Amino acid sequence: MVLMTQARATSKATRRQHDREIVALAVPAFGALVAEPLFVMADSAIVGHLGTAQLAGLGVASALLMTAVSVFVFLAYATTAAVARRVGAGDLQAAIRQGMDSIWLALLLGAAVIAVVLPTAPSLVELFGASDTAAPYATTYLRISALGIPAMLVVLAATGVLRGLQDTRTPLYVAVAGFVANAALNLGLVYGADLGIAGSAWGTVIAQCGMATAYLVVVVRGARRHQASLRPDAAGIKASAHAGLPLLVRTLSLRAILMIATAVAARLGDADIAAHQIILSLWSLLAFALDAIAIAGQAIIGRYLGADDAEGARAACRRMVEWGIAAGIVLALLVVITRPLFLPLFTSDTAVKDTALPALLMVALSQPICGVVFVLDGVLMGAGDGRYLAWAMVLTLAVFTPVALLVPVLGGGLTALWGAMTLMMTVRMLTLWWRARSGRWIVTGATR
């Protein structure tokens, strides 16, 4: 009896420890994640007063930029896992050295993207269907903003370094400072200097470069403190790229799913595509909340595995799944309660509202599933199990595509499409749950 009481007390203490770690990492991470779309919102609010053509041009250029940058999000995810493992192993010098390799990779990839975007900007804008009046503004914004892509990718890699070091507060501070600087620069350059949409682009470039500089100062100080080399290492950069490649496949597959969903919604009619865009924006916002827990999972799991603590990793995984389910239930209730208030913020069109309301219920029902998916995604990323994540997402894409394409053929509407999205998340949950239960992701040591 005494032993059982002691075991329960130990279990409660362990859960409380996990809870404190999750909150300490997830809350600042959520703030930093939310700051990212605020950049685009601030630019839109400022440029919108220049005219409809300028705003349309910004919309096209921003979509292209965000797509280009999101493809390389593995710079943050893979770096978090690799650095956290070395932190768990007690080798901070190697942890920061690994982080520097990822930053050098970010600079190389950024330079390559610039080399592609600058000469092809008009063609890319045309490919995205910009009108004749909006295209010149989109091209101007895209060409100038592309100069900030290396800084954006450095921010991703350096964010991964700090997350791996169990620090999500510094990224929050940098993100908030970057948002304030971006808004001030945009106002000053667009209206004060009368540069128009070019001023908005330059403001964003300067703000991103400032954020990258702030991150580099923090990382370089850590490197000097622990006597880690700052020089580029070909083998280390190659290893970072190799670790990130499976996550790139995963990200591209996920982007394909979202693009297919949007294309199908467009075929359903104007009211459906308008409602779909509103719902997708809400779905993305909900994803930020769940992704914050996933980021905590990446950092915590990587550290436990690096410290050769397999049981600690399992316990942390179980607790984070509980957090994911609980967060999903809370978000589901919020969607159901606020949906009559949410839709009028975006549209007054009765047809759009009527189309969106039942689809929002489908989104609500899927949130507990999404909670499990995001958490297990973070756990497996933290374990460096990128190869499995890539294959699982390709499988999910293969299941989702024919189901989604059948929606308009069978006469289904937007609710049916979001039913297909829920199926997609269910497939992800099953594949991730199977992997988590198998224990094959548990590979201990400073490297996987």
Side-chain angles (χ1 to χ4, degrees):
M1 186 70 176
V2 174
L3 291 176
M4 290 177 63
T5 302
Q6 290 176 342
R8 282 196 294 269
T10 301
S11 178
K12 288 181 180 179
T14 301
R15 285 199 300 271
R16 284 195 297 269
Q17 177 187 345
H18 289 317
D19 291 345
R20 285 194 296 269
E21 287 186 329
I22 293 168
V23 171
L25 291 170
V27 172
F30 176 69
L33 288 169
V34 170
E36 181 181 326
L38 290 179
F39 267 76
V40 178
M41 289 177 64
D43 288 359
S44 300
I46 293 168
V47 171
H49 291 285
L50 293 174
T52 302
Q54 288 89 333
L55 183 58
L58 173 66
V60 171
S62 293
L64 284 164
L65 282 168
M66 290 304 100
T67 299
V69 173
S70 66
V71 164
F72 298 110
V73 73
F74 69 84
L75 288 167
Y77 293 159
T79 303
T80 298
V83 171
R85 274 184 175 271
R86 288 160 176 79
V87 169
D91 193 346
L92 290 177
Q93 183 185 71
I96 296 175
R97 175 65 262 179
Q98 176 69 46
M100 286 304 306
D101 291 335
S102 297
I103 289 173
W104 280 112
L105 176 61
L107 287 169
L108 291 173
L109 291 173
V113 173
I114 287 179
V116 172
V117 171
L118 287 183
T120 62
S123 299
L124 291 171
V125 167
E126 183 181 356
L127 182 65
F128 263 59
S131 66
D132 291 340
T133 54
Y137 296 110
T139 301
T140 296
Y141 190 92
L142 181 59
R143 276 181 166 158
I144 296 172
S145 295
L147 299 176
I149 287 179
M152 295 180 193
L153 299 189
V154 166
V155 166
L156 284 177
T159 299
V161 176
L162 295 181
R163 288 173 182 170
L165 293 171
Q166 317 296 296
D167 176 11
T168 56
R169 289 182 178 273
T170 299
L172 172 61
Y173 299 148
V174 174
V176 171
F179 168 72
V180 173
N182 179 67
L185 286 165
N186 271 258
L187 283 170
L189 294 174
V190 171
Y191 297 110
D194 199 26
L195 294 178
I197 195 170
S200 177
W202 281 117
T204 300
V205 169
I206 295 169
Q208 291 288 349
C209 288
M211 292 172 65
T213 300
Y215 274 118
L216 288 175
V217 167
V218 174
V219 174
V220 168
R221 283 179 179 172
R224 288 175 175 169
R225 187 182 309 120
H226 297 287
Q227 299 180 331
S229 174
L230 298 174
R231 295 179 179 178
D233 176 66
I237 294 171
K238 183 178 179 181
S240 294
H242 185 266
L245 184 59
L247 296 182
L248 175 62
V249 173
R250 167 200 169 275
T251 300
L252 290 173
S253 299
L254 180 57
R255 295 295 301 183
I257 287 170
L258 297 178
M259 290 176 65
I260 290 169
T262 300
V264 170
R267 292 178 62 187
L268 297 176
D270 290 347
D272 293 87
I273 185 60
H276 176 74
Q277 289 303 112
I278 294 171
I279 293 171
L280 192 60
S281 66
L282 174 63
W283 193 75
S284 299
L285 179 62
L286 298 174
F288 283 132
L290 298 174
D291 203 26
I293 304 174
I295 287 169
Q298 293 170 29
I300 292 170
I301 293 297
R303 192 189 73 231
Y304 273 117
L305 293 178
D308 292 325
D309 188 352
E311 187 52 44
R314 288 192 186 92
C317 174
R318 286 193 296 269
R319 189 56 178 165
M320 279 182 283
V321 168
E322 292 170 0
W323 268 77
I325 295 171
I329 292 172
V330 171
L331 292 176
L333 292 174
L334 285 174
V335 171
V336 172
I337 293 169
T338 63
R339 65 193 180 108
L341 305 174
F342 172 76
L343 289 173
L345 296 175
F346 290 87
T347 182
S348 58
D349 190 322
T350 303
V352 175
K353 291 180 184 178
D354 291 343
T355 301
L357 276 172
L360 277 174
L361 284 178
M362 189 64 70
V363 171
L365 288 172
S366 71
Q367 289 310 297
I369 298 172
C370 293
V372 176
V373 168
F374 275 81
V375 166
L376 291 180
D377 214 32
V379 166
L380 296 185
M381 283 184 189
D385 202 11
R387 187 181 296 274
Y388 180 81
L389 289 172
W391 282 112
M393 189 59 79
V394 170
L395 172 63
T396 302
L397 173 62
V399 172
F400 170 78
T401 300
V403 174
L405 294 178
L406 280 173
V407 168
V409 174
L410 298 178
L414 190 65
T415 302
L417 176 59
W418 277 92
M421 290 287 284
T422 301
L423 171 65
M424 177 270 293
M425 294 302 293
T426 302
V427 172
R428 289 187 68 189
M429 183 184 71
L430 293 175
T431 56
L432 297 175
W433 184 268
W434 179 84
R435 186 65 167 183
R437 288 292 301 272
S438 74
R440 294 178 183 176
W441 56 277
I442 300 177
V443 179
T444 58
T447 58
R448 183 177 172 85

